[in-house]
Amino acid sequence: MISRDVWVEMIRDFQESPLPESKERDINIDCEPKVQRAISLIGPRRAGKTYLLFIAAGKMMEKYGKNRCIYINLEDDRLLGCELPDLRNLLKISYDLQPGNSQGKTWLFLDEIQNVPDWEKFVRSAMDSGKAQVFISGSSAKLLGKEIATAMRGRAISYTILPFSFHEILKMKGIPPENLSTSGRARLFSVLEDYLNYGGYPEVVLYPEQREKILREIMDVTIYRDIIDRYKVNNSRVLKLFLKGLLSSTSLSIHKFHLFLKSQGISVSKNTLYNYLGYFADSLVVFPLKKYSLSYKEAEQSIPKIYFVDNGLLGFTGASTRAKLFENMVFVELLKSGHAPNEGLWHYSSGKEVDFVVARGGKALRLIQASYDVSGYETKDREVRALVQASEELKCDKLEVVTWDYEAEEAHSGKKISFIPFWKFAIKQSLMP
């Protein structure tokens, strides 16, 4: 049982302390939804969910006063063993401290809520009372979108929180993406170089002198700890080898990786490897991208291409080529602009490979190639031929090649193809509704 003194101390600490400085994001959270729904923030660890809770809390404190807002970090060691009755007691104690709050609405921010068993019962009850607007967040290895949907029975509005996009980083650094001077362009490409190699995890962007240490901690501690703890993985050695395989492969055949492990004298079942892939995917660390096909069976049986939630997980290990880093970076921007893998975003292959297909309702809307350098004839010809062939097969005329810095509109085989530098592509994606 969490003592009254602990709850009082935590409530007072939050209400009497200044909120930490938070960087503006492109994510706009509706703090006062017209429907009676809890607000949930879902995403990988270290993507900035807590700071977005602070931003939301700051808005509500400014509007309704500090005494109506409560923020609780449920990973605080003072709350070890916190259970459902403790959460209910928290709300009662807050009303004792501010009796007027029981007649109005309390804004309750619960961080890392997955640490409390049966938390959803409390959240549903608090929301149903009409006296609380509840915000919840959790690390993706503990609190996944599908779990929220099940636990809250449709009574939550969910936001997916991912590391900074390139557009967000430009805004933070005060670099206007239009009307660039020579020095402004040089600065933009310097930021882009860092984004390619080190990604957009907030701490990595804000503390570049410690970025390799931060990325190593995210990889070695956060990812492994969450997955091993959540899924009770016993063979951590195979899990690490599997992750190395994901890092070094553009696509991953479980069958071939199983044979590789067997050749190394490592005995593990294919089902275990499929489970590992599911663990990384459920944790929003890895995104297996399936082939676009109107045949569900063909799409499901295709070997997926593997992408990571952030380039930093690829770049600092040194396991990836520049071309792979660039393709992953294009994927990440599509992901951050709301294109859900295997729902609105796929890859395509029909003898020739197209990196990304944006589709809706069984219709391909955009075909996108990610090509770092198209200065060589063979590279450019390969990308163009694949787009033209896929355009004819999928009846899609919106054809794009994202490049490092080449820009042009060209006609090939009667098709118009847009070559667009990554930075312009990223800004365009961030502005899409």
PDB file of all heavy atoms in Angstrom, residues 69-95:
ATOM      1  N   CYS A  69      -3.936  19.891 -11.755  1.00  0.00           N
ATOM      2  CA  CYS A  69      -3.129  18.978 -12.564  1.00  0.00           C
ATOM      3  C   CYS A  69      -2.218  18.126 -11.688  1.00  0.00           C
ATOM      4  O   CYS A  69      -1.576  18.635 -10.758  1.00  0.00           O
ATOM      5  CB  CYS A  69      -2.287  19.766 -13.566  1.00  0.00           C
ATOM      6  SG  CYS A  69      -3.274  20.678 -14.780  1.00  0.00           S
ATOM      7  N   ILE A  70      -2.162  16.846 -11.989  1.00  0.00           N
ATOM      8  CA  ILE A  70      -1.315  15.905 -11.256  1.00  0.00           C
ATOM      9  C   ILE A  70      -0.520  15.076 -12.249  1.00  0.00           C
ATOM     10  O   ILE A  70      -1.096  14.472 -13.162  1.00  0.00           O
ATOM     11  CB  ILE A  70      -2.164  14.954 -10.376  1.00  0.00           C
ATOM     12  CG1 ILE A  70      -2.991  15.751  -9.356  1.00  0.00           C
ATOM     13  CG2 ILE A  70      -1.277  13.936  -9.674  1.00  0.00           C
ATOM     14  CD1 ILE A  70      -4.018  14.915  -8.624  1.00  0.00           C
ATOM     15  N   TYR A  71       0.794  15.058 -12.085  1.00  0.00           N
ATOM     16  CA  TYR A  71       1.649  14.191 -12.899  1.00  0.00           C
ATOM     17  C   TYR A  71       2.321  13.182 -11.972  1.00  0.00           C
ATOM     18  O   TYR A  71       2.885  13.554 -10.934  1.00  0.00           O
ATOM     19  CB  TYR A  71       2.726  14.999 -13.630  1.00  0.00           C
ATOM     20  CG  TYR A  71       3.819  14.128 -14.221  1.00  0.00           C
ATOM     21  CD1 TYR A  71       3.649  13.542 -15.466  1.00  0.00           C
ATOM     22  CD2 TYR A  71       4.983  13.856 -13.503  1.00  0.00           C
ATOM     23  CE1 TYR A  71       4.632  12.711 -16.010  1.00  0.00           C
ATOM     24  CE2 TYR A  71       5.974  13.036 -14.029  1.00  0.00           C
ATOM     25  CZ  TYR A  71       5.792  12.460 -15.278  1.00  0.00           C
ATOM     26  OH  TYR A  71       6.754  11.636 -15.792  1.00  0.00           O
ATOM     27  N   ILE A  72       2.244  11.905 -12.344  1.00  0.00           N
ATOM     28  CA  ILE A  72       2.870  10.843 -11.561  1.00  0.00           C
ATOM     29  C   ILE A  72       3.699   9.960 -12.475  1.00  0.00           C
ATOM     30  O   ILE A  72       3.202   9.438 -13.481  1.00  0.00           O
ATOM     31  CB  ILE A  72       1.802   9.963 -10.854  1.00  0.00           C
ATOM     32  CG1 ILE A  72       0.929  10.799  -9.904  1.00  0.00           C
ATOM     33  CG2 ILE A  72       2.469   8.809 -10.118  1.00  0.00           C
ATOM     34  CD1 ILE A  72       1.660  11.369  -8.707  1.00  0.00           C
ATOM     35  N   ASN A  73       4.976   9.788 -12.123  1.00  0.00           N
ATOM     36  CA  ASN A  73       5.837   8.844 -12.831  1.00  0.00           C
ATOM     37  C   ASN A  73       5.784   7.525 -12.083  1.00  0.00           C
ATOM     38  O   ASN A  73       6.326   7.387 -10.983  1.00  0.00           O
ATOM     39  CB  ASN A  73       7.274   9.374 -12.877  1.00  0.00           C
ATOM     40  CG  ASN A  73       8.224   8.379 -13.535  1.00  0.00           C
ATOM     41  OD1 ASN A  73       7.802   7.362 -14.067  1.00  0.00           O
ATOM     42  ND2 ASN A  73       9.514   8.675 -13.484  1.00  0.00           N
ATOM     43  N   LEU A  74       5.132   6.539 -12.683  1.00  0.00           N
ATOM     44  CA  LEU A  74       4.915   5.271 -12.000  1.00  0.00           C
ATOM     45  C   LEU A  74       6.132   4.357 -12.018  1.00  0.00           C
ATOM     46  O   LEU A  74       6.060   3.217 -11.567  1.00  0.00           O
ATOM     47  CB  LEU A  74       3.688   4.577 -12.593  1.00  0.00           C
ATOM     48  CG  LEU A  74       2.386   5.308 -12.209  1.00  0.00           C
ATOM     49  CD1 LEU A  74       1.255   4.966 -13.153  1.00  0.00           C
ATOM     50  CD2 LEU A  74       2.007   4.978 -10.769  1.00  0.00           C
ATOM     51  N   GLU A  75       7.266   4.870 -12.528  1.00  0.00           N
ATOM     52  CA  GLU A  75       8.537   4.148 -12.383  1.00  0.00           C
ATOM     53  C   GLU A  75       9.358   4.688 -11.221  1.00  0.00           C
ATOM     54  O   GLU A  75      10.463   4.223 -10.961  1.00  0.00           O
ATOM     55  CB  GLU A  75       9.342   4.207 -13.686  1.00  0.00           C
ATOM     56  CG  GLU A  75       8.770   3.316 -14.778  1.00  0.00           C
ATOM     57  CD  GLU A  75       9.750   3.028 -15.891  1.00  0.00           C
ATOM     58  OE1 GLU A  75      10.579   3.907 -16.184  1.00  0.00           O
ATOM     59  OE2 GLU A  75       9.671   1.935 -16.464  1.00  0.00           O
ATOM     60  N   ASP A  76       8.817   5.681 -10.528  1.00  0.00           N
ATOM     61  CA  ASP A  76       9.477   6.231  -9.346  1.00  0.00           C
ATOM     62  C   ASP A  76       9.613   5.122  -8.300  1.00  0.00           C
ATOM     63  O   ASP A  76       8.655   4.382  -8.022  1.00  0.00           O
ATOM     64  CB  ASP A  76       8.637   7.392  -8.783  1.00  0.00           C
ATOM     65  CG  ASP A  76       9.378   8.184  -7.729  1.00  0.00           C
ATOM     66  OD1 ASP A  76       9.763   7.589  -6.699  1.00  0.00           O
ATOM     67  OD2 ASP A  76       9.564   9.396  -7.909  1.00  0.00           O
ATOM     68  N   ASP A  77      10.803   4.984  -7.700  1.00  0.00           N
ATOM     69  CA  ASP A  77      11.009   3.881  -6.765  1.00  0.00           C
ATOM     70  C   ASP A  77      10.153   3.988  -5.511  1.00  0.00           C
ATOM     71  O   ASP A  77       9.970   3.001  -4.783  1.00  0.00           O
ATOM     72  CB  ASP A  77      12.493   3.741  -6.397  1.00  0.00           C
ATOM     73  CG  ASP A  77      13.084   4.993  -5.769  1.00  0.00           C
ATOM     74  OD1 ASP A  77      12.317   5.905  -5.378  1.00  0.00           O
ATOM     75  OD2 ASP A  77      14.325   5.084  -5.675  1.00  0.00           O
ATOM     76  N   ARG A  78       9.590   5.168  -5.244  1.00  0.00           N
ATOM     77  CA  ARG A  78       8.677   5.295  -4.105  1.00  0.00           C
ATOM     78  C   ARG A  78       7.362   4.581  -4.349  1.00  0.00           C
ATOM     79  O   ARG A  78       6.573   4.371  -3.415  1.00  0.00           O
ATOM     80  CB  ARG A  78       8.405   6.773  -3.809  1.00  0.00           C
ATOM     81  CG  ARG A  78       9.585   7.555  -3.245  1.00  0.00           C
ATOM     82  CD  ARG A  78       9.288   9.036  -3.171  1.00  0.00           C
ATOM     83  NE  ARG A  78       9.237   9.645  -4.502  1.00  0.00           N
ATOM     84  CZ  ARG A  78       8.996  10.952  -4.718  1.00  0.00           C
ATOM     85  NH1 ARG A  78       8.761  11.748  -3.687  1.00  0.00           N
ATOM     86  NH2 ARG A  78       8.983  11.423  -5.947  1.00  0.00           N
ATOM     87  N   LEU A  79       7.115   4.225  -5.620  1.00  0.00           N
ATOM     88  CA  LEU A  79       5.828   3.614  -5.973  1.00  0.00           C
ATOM     89  C   LEU A  79       5.957   2.131  -6.300  1.00  0.00           C
ATOM     90  O   LEU A  79       5.065   1.557  -6.925  1.00  0.00           O
ATOM     91  CB  LEU A  79       5.207   4.357  -7.169  1.00  0.00           C
ATOM     92  CG  LEU A  79       4.919   5.838  -6.938  1.00  0.00           C
ATOM     93  CD1 LEU A  79       4.294   6.462  -8.174  1.00  0.00           C
ATOM     94  CD2 LEU A  79       4.009   6.028  -5.724  1.00  0.00           C
ATOM     95  N   LEU A  80       7.055   1.511  -5.881  1.00  0.00           N
ATOM     96  CA  LEU A  80       7.204   0.072  -6.095  1.00  0.00           C
ATOM     97  C   LEU A  80       6.056  -0.666  -5.420  1.00  0.00           C
ATOM     98  O   LEU A  80       5.722  -0.421  -4.264  1.00  0.00           O
ATOM     99  CB  LEU A  80       8.537  -0.409  -5.518  1.00  0.00           C
ATOM    100  CG  LEU A  80       9.798  -0.010  -6.297  1.00  0.00           C
ATOM    101  CD1 LEU A  80      11.045  -0.442  -5.544  1.00  0.00           C
ATOM    102  CD2 LEU A  80       9.782  -0.620  -7.694  1.00  0.00           C
ATOM    103  N   GLY A  81       5.424  -1.568  -6.173  1.00  0.00           N
ATOM    104  CA  GLY A  81       4.302  -2.316  -5.623  1.00  0.00           C
ATOM    105  C   GLY A  81       2.975  -1.594  -5.726  1.00  0.00           C
ATOM    106  O   GLY A  81       1.978  -2.057  -5.160  1.00  0.00           O
ATOM    107  N   CYS A  82       2.941  -0.489  -6.459  1.00  0.00           N
ATOM    108  CA  CYS A  82       1.686   0.254  -6.615  1.00  0.00           C
ATOM    109  C   CYS A  82       0.642  -0.630  -7.284  1.00  0.00           C
ATOM    110  O   CYS A  82       0.915  -1.317  -8.272  1.00  0.00           O
ATOM    111  CB  CYS A  82       1.932   1.509  -7.460  1.00  0.00           C
ATOM    112  SG  CYS A  82       0.469   2.549  -7.683  1.00  0.00           S
ATOM    113  N   GLU A  83      -0.579  -0.611  -6.738  1.00  0.00           N
ATOM    114  CA  GLU A  83      -1.662  -1.437  -7.250  1.00  0.00           C
ATOM    115  C   GLU A  83      -2.900  -0.592  -7.508  1.00  0.00           C
ATOM    116  O   GLU A  83      -2.930   0.616  -7.220  1.00  0.00           O
ATOM    117  CB  GLU A  83      -1.963  -2.580  -6.278  1.00  0.00           C
ATOM    118  CG  GLU A  83      -0.785  -3.549  -6.108  1.00  0.00           C
ATOM    119  CD  GLU A  83      -1.114  -4.698  -5.177  1.00  0.00           C
ATOM    120  OE1 GLU A  83      -2.162  -4.630  -4.487  1.00  0.00           O
ATOM    121  OE2 GLU A  83      -0.326  -5.656  -5.126  1.00  0.00           O
ATOM    122  N   LEU A  84      -3.929  -1.249  -8.049  1.00  0.00           N
ATOM    123  CA  LEU A  84      -5.160  -0.564  -8.421  1.00  0.00           C
ATOM    124  C   LEU A  84      -5.761   0.266  -7.271  1.00  0.00           C
ATOM    125  O   LEU A  84      -6.109   1.441  -7.473  1.00  0.00           O
ATOM    126  CB  LEU A  84      -6.176  -1.588  -8.939  1.00  0.00           C
ATOM    127  CG  LEU A  84      -7.551  -1.070  -9.348  1.00  0.00           C
ATOM    128  CD1 LEU A  84      -7.451  -0.029 -10.460  1.00  0.00           C
ATOM    129  CD2 LEU A  84      -8.436  -2.238  -9.799  1.00  0.00           C
ATOM    130  N   PRO A  85      -5.890  -0.276  -6.046  1.00  0.00           N
ATOM    131  CA  PRO A  85      -6.445   0.532  -4.947  1.00  0.00           C
ATOM    132  C   PRO A  85      -5.616   1.790  -4.664  1.00  0.00           C
ATOM    133  O   PRO A  85      -6.160   2.811  -4.229  1.00  0.00           O
ATOM    134  CB  PRO A  85      -6.432  -0.424  -3.751  1.00  0.00           C
ATOM    135  CG  PRO A  85      -6.458  -1.793  -4.364  1.00  0.00           C
ATOM    136  CD  PRO A  85      -5.641  -1.666  -5.620  1.00  0.00           C
ATOM    137  N   ASP A  86      -4.296   1.717  -4.912  1.00  0.00           N
ATOM    138  CA  ASP A  86      -3.439   2.880  -4.683  1.00  0.00           C
ATOM    139  C   ASP A  86      -3.792   4.015  -5.644  1.00  0.00           C
ATOM    140  O   ASP A  86      -3.801   5.192  -5.247  1.00  0.00           O
ATOM    141  CB  ASP A  86      -1.971   2.495  -4.847  1.00  0.00           C
ATOM    142  CG  ASP A  86      -1.502   1.536  -3.768  1.00  0.00           C
ATOM    143  OD1 ASP A  86      -1.672   1.852  -2.585  1.00  0.00           O
ATOM    144  OD2 ASP A  86      -0.967   0.478  -4.127  1.00  0.00           O
ATOM    145  N   LEU A  87      -4.064   3.687  -6.909  1.00  0.00           N
ATOM    146  CA  LEU A  87      -4.447   4.721  -7.871  1.00  0.00           C
ATOM    147  C   LEU A  87      -5.764   5.372  -7.453  1.00  0.00           C
ATOM    148  O   LEU A  87      -5.928   6.593  -7.562  1.00  0.00           O
ATOM    149  CB  LEU A  87      -4.567   4.126  -9.272  1.00  0.00           C
ATOM    150  CG  LEU A  87      -3.274   3.689  -9.960  1.00  0.00           C
ATOM    151  CD1 LEU A  87      -3.579   3.142 -11.347  1.00  0.00           C
ATOM    152  CD2 LEU A  87      -2.281   4.841 -10.063  1.00  0.00           C
ATOM    153  N   ARG A  88      -6.685   4.564  -7.006  1.00  0.00           N
ATOM    154  CA  ARG A  88      -7.961   5.126  -6.546  1.00  0.00           C
ATOM    155  C   ARG A  88      -7.748   6.036  -5.339  1.00  0.00           C
ATOM    156  O   ARG A  88      -8.385   7.080  -5.203  1.00  0.00           O
ATOM    157  CB  ARG A  88      -8.930   3.991  -6.211  1.00  0.00           C
ATOM    158  CG  ARG A  88      -9.400   3.246  -7.463  1.00  0.00           C
ATOM    159  CD  ARG A  88     -10.237   2.039  -7.136  1.00  0.00           C
ATOM    160  NE  ARG A  88     -10.773   1.423  -8.358  1.00  0.00           N
ATOM    161  CZ  ARG A  88     -11.111   0.163  -8.481  1.00  0.00           C
ATOM    162  NH1 ARG A  88     -10.969  -0.659  -7.437  1.00  0.00           N
ATOM    163  NH2 ARG A  88     -11.595  -0.308  -9.620  1.00  0.00           N
ATOM    164  N   ASN A  89      -6.822   5.621  -4.469  1.00  0.00           N
ATOM    165  CA  ASN A  89      -6.513   6.434  -3.298  1.00  0.00           C
ATOM    166  C   ASN A  89      -5.851   7.748  -3.692  1.00  0.00           C
ATOM    167  O   ASN A  89      -6.070   8.791  -3.048  1.00  0.00           O
ATOM    168  CB  ASN A  89      -5.611   5.638  -2.356  1.00  0.00           C
ATOM    169  CG  ASN A  89      -5.631   6.181  -0.943  1.00  0.00           C
ATOM    170  OD1 ASN A  89      -6.650   6.708  -0.479  1.00  0.00           O
ATOM    171  ND2 ASN A  89      -4.510   6.071  -0.253  1.00  0.00           N
ATOM    172  N   LEU A  90      -5.043   7.719  -4.757  1.00  0.00           N
ATOM    173  CA  LEU A  90      -4.390   8.932  -5.254  1.00  0.00           C
ATOM    174  C   LEU A  90      -5.421  10.006  -5.562  1.00  0.00           C
ATOM    175  O   LEU A  90      -5.256  11.173  -5.175  1.00  0.00           O
ATOM    176  CB  LEU A  90      -3.588   8.602  -6.521  1.00  0.00           C
ATOM    177  CG  LEU A  90      -3.177   9.784  -7.416  1.00  0.00           C
ATOM    178  CD1 LEU A  90      -2.182  10.687  -6.682  1.00  0.00           C
ATOM    179  CD2 LEU A  90      -2.569   9.276  -8.732  1.00  0.00           C
ATOM    180  N   LEU A  91      -6.479   9.650  -6.256  1.00  0.00           N
ATOM    181  CA  LEU A  91      -7.495  10.622  -6.628  1.00  0.00           C
ATOM    182  C   LEU A  91      -8.215  11.159  -5.387  1.00  0.00           C
ATOM    183  O   LEU A  91      -8.491  12.358  -5.281  1.00  0.00           O
ATOM    184  CB  LEU A  91      -8.492   9.988  -7.599  1.00  0.00           C
ATOM    185  CG  LEU A  91      -9.120  10.885  -8.659  1.00  0.00           C
ATOM    186  CD1 LEU A  91      -8.081  11.742  -9.378  1.00  0.00           C
ATOM    187  CD2 LEU A  91      -9.913  10.057  -9.663  1.00  0.00           C
ATOM    188  N   LYS A  92      -8.508  10.285  -4.436  1.00  0.00           N
ATOM    189  CA  LYS A  92      -9.169  10.719  -3.202  1.00  0.00           C
ATOM    190  C   LYS A  92      -8.291  11.702  -2.426  1.00  0.00           C
ATOM    191  O   LYS A  92      -8.771  12.724  -1.915  1.00  0.00           O
ATOM    192  CB  LYS A  92      -9.484   9.508  -2.321  1.00  0.00           C
ATOM    193  CG  LYS A  92     -10.566   8.591  -2.884  1.00  0.00           C
ATOM    194  CD  LYS A  92     -10.759   7.386  -1.976  1.00  0.00           C
ATOM    195  CE  LYS A  92     -11.778   6.413  -2.569  1.00  0.00           C
ATOM    196  NZ  LYS A  92     -11.920   5.188  -1.739  1.00  0.00           N
ATOM    197  N   ILE A  93      -7.000  11.400  -2.360  1.00  0.00           N
ATOM    198  CA  ILE A  93      -6.075  12.279  -1.632  1.00  0.00           C
ATOM    199  C   ILE A  93      -5.978  13.632  -2.328  1.00  0.00           C
ATOM    200  O   ILE A  93      -5.915  14.683  -1.670  1.00  0.00           O
ATOM    201  CB  ILE A  93      -4.683  11.607  -1.522  1.00  0.00           C
ATOM    202  CG1 ILE A  93      -4.765  10.407  -0.576  1.00  0.00           C
ATOM    203  CG2 ILE A  93      -3.639  12.608  -1.033  1.00  0.00           C
ATOM    204  CD1 ILE A  93      -3.523   9.542  -0.578  1.00  0.00           C
ATOM    205  N   SER A  94      -5.981  13.635  -3.661  1.00  0.00           N
ATOM    206  CA  SER A  94      -5.928  14.916  -4.377  1.00  0.00           C
ATOM    207  C   SER A  94      -7.145  15.773  -4.065  1.00  0.00           C
ATOM    208  O   SER A  94      -7.054  17.001  -3.972  1.00  0.00           O
ATOM    209  CB  SER A  94      -5.821  14.671  -5.881  1.00  0.00           C
ATOM    210  OG  SER A  94      -7.063  14.243  -6.433  1.00  0.00           O
ATOM    211  N   TYR A  95      -8.307  15.129  -3.874  1.00  0.00           N
ATOM    212  CA  TYR A  95      -9.514  15.889  -3.511  1.00  0.00           C
ATOM    213  C   TYR A  95      -9.428  16.398  -2.079  1.00  0.00           C
ATOM    214  O   TYR A  95      -9.922  17.491  -1.766  1.00  0.00           O
ATOM    215  CB  TYR A  95     -10.759  15.000  -3.662  1.00  0.00           C
ATOM    216  CG  TYR A  95     -11.078  14.609  -5.084  1.00  0.00           C
ATOM    217  CD1 TYR A  95     -11.764  13.425  -5.358  1.00  0.00           C
ATOM    218  CD2 TYR A  95     -10.689  15.404  -6.162  1.00  0.00           C
ATOM    219  CE1 TYR A  95     -12.061  13.053  -6.666  1.00  0.00           C
ATOM    220  CE2 TYR A  95     -10.981  15.034  -7.469  1.00  0.00           C
ATOM    221  CZ  TYR A  95     -11.670  13.859  -7.715  1.00  0.00           C
ATOM    222  OH  TYR A  95     -11.971  13.498  -9.001  1.00  0.00           O
TER     223      TYR A  95
END
